[in-house]
Amino acid sequence: RIHKLTTGGEFLGTFGQKGSNDGQFNGPAGINISPEGKVYVADSNNRRIQVFHSDWTLYHIIDGKVSGDGSFDRPFGVAFDMSGDVHVTENSVTVFTPSGQFVRKYDQTYLSSPVGIAIDSEGYSLVMNYSPGSVSIYDPSGRFIHSIGEFS
């Protein structure tokens, strides 16, 4: 279930319920709003990203249960680069077009249970690794640059 709040923290209502149908969630783990105002929800246990209009009507779904490079297991974080492409964390970082077409995966050498992602104004990605508690920094092409914190 998604809770909607004002910028001041006032509760406005909820959206969705537990399940696997469109508009239902099973372990929503991350949420972000695209530059176009679409709401992207990482529906982790359903292995998908659900994309909604700002009024919560379904726009489309990026399905992780596909074969090949565009597959993903349990999405957690969602971020957008300057071109509007969607970066999704799970066992790796996978990049999709806004319509859900696979673009590429990041260099996975220094990724370990990535859960969060942020992209700066120059296109560099900061990926939070749950274990061992580090942040990996990537250039705009997804090439590893540096790690902050422990990495074993």
Side-chain angles (χ1 to χ4, degrees), residues 109-129:
T109 307
Y110 294 95
L111 290 174
S112 179
S113 303
V115 293
I117 185 168
I119 301 175
D120 72 13
S121 61
E122 295 180 16
Y124 287 84
S125 300
L126 293 90
V127 180
M128 184 173 46
N129 294 294

Side-chain angles (χ1 to χ4, degrees), residues 68-85:
D69 288 331
S71 67
F72 53 85
D73 189 31
R74 285 190 156 72
F76 283 96
V78 181
F80 305 94
D81 62 27
M82 294 174 294
S83 66
D85 284 344

Side-chain angles (χ1 to χ4, degrees), residues 5 31 45 50 53 66 69 72 82 90 94 97 117-118 126 132:
L5 308 171
I31 189 168
N45 294 332
Q50 293 196 70
H53 295 281
V66 297
D69 288 331
F72 53 85
M82 294 174 294
E90 42 102 24
T94 308
T97 64
I117 185 168
L126 293 90

